Amino acid sequence: MPTNEKEYNGNLFDQLSILERIEAVAKEEAVLKQIAMERRQIERKLYQKPPLLIEETE
């Protein structure tokens, strides 16, 4: 389990990389549609505003 937002974002980027590799070899339209849906869900988490954590500066 990620302990901070940077680590969480790293995991999301890893998931996007996996989708890209699968997409490169996918041939069926249904598979490509599912990949697109998964990508949108990951990107929604990755680019959310405001960020998950607001780090306080002391």
Side-chain angles (χ1 to χ4, degrees):
M1 192 74 185
T3 58
N4 58 42
E5 188 171 5
K6 184 177 180 180
E7 186 176 343
Y8 182 72
N9 286 346
N11 289 344
L12 293 174
F13 280 118
D14 289 343
Q15 291 177 17
L16 286 174
S17 295
I18 291 168
L19 286 178
E20 289 171 356
R21 290 193 300 269
I22 294 171
E23 188 175 29
V25 297
K27 294 180 178 154
E28 295 181 26
E29 188 63 30
V31 174
L32 294 171
K33 285 183 181 180
Q34 184 67 32
I35 290 170
M37 185 186 76
E38 298 295 334
R39 180 186 309 278
R40 284 191 304 273
Q41 291 176 354
I42 293 169
E43 288 174 347
R44 187 170 45 240
K45 294 175 191 175
L46 186 61
Y47 301 117
Q48 73 178 12
K49 297 290 180 193
L52 292 175
L53 302 174
I54 300 174
E55 297 191 20
E56 296 179 27
T57 55
E58 295 182 3

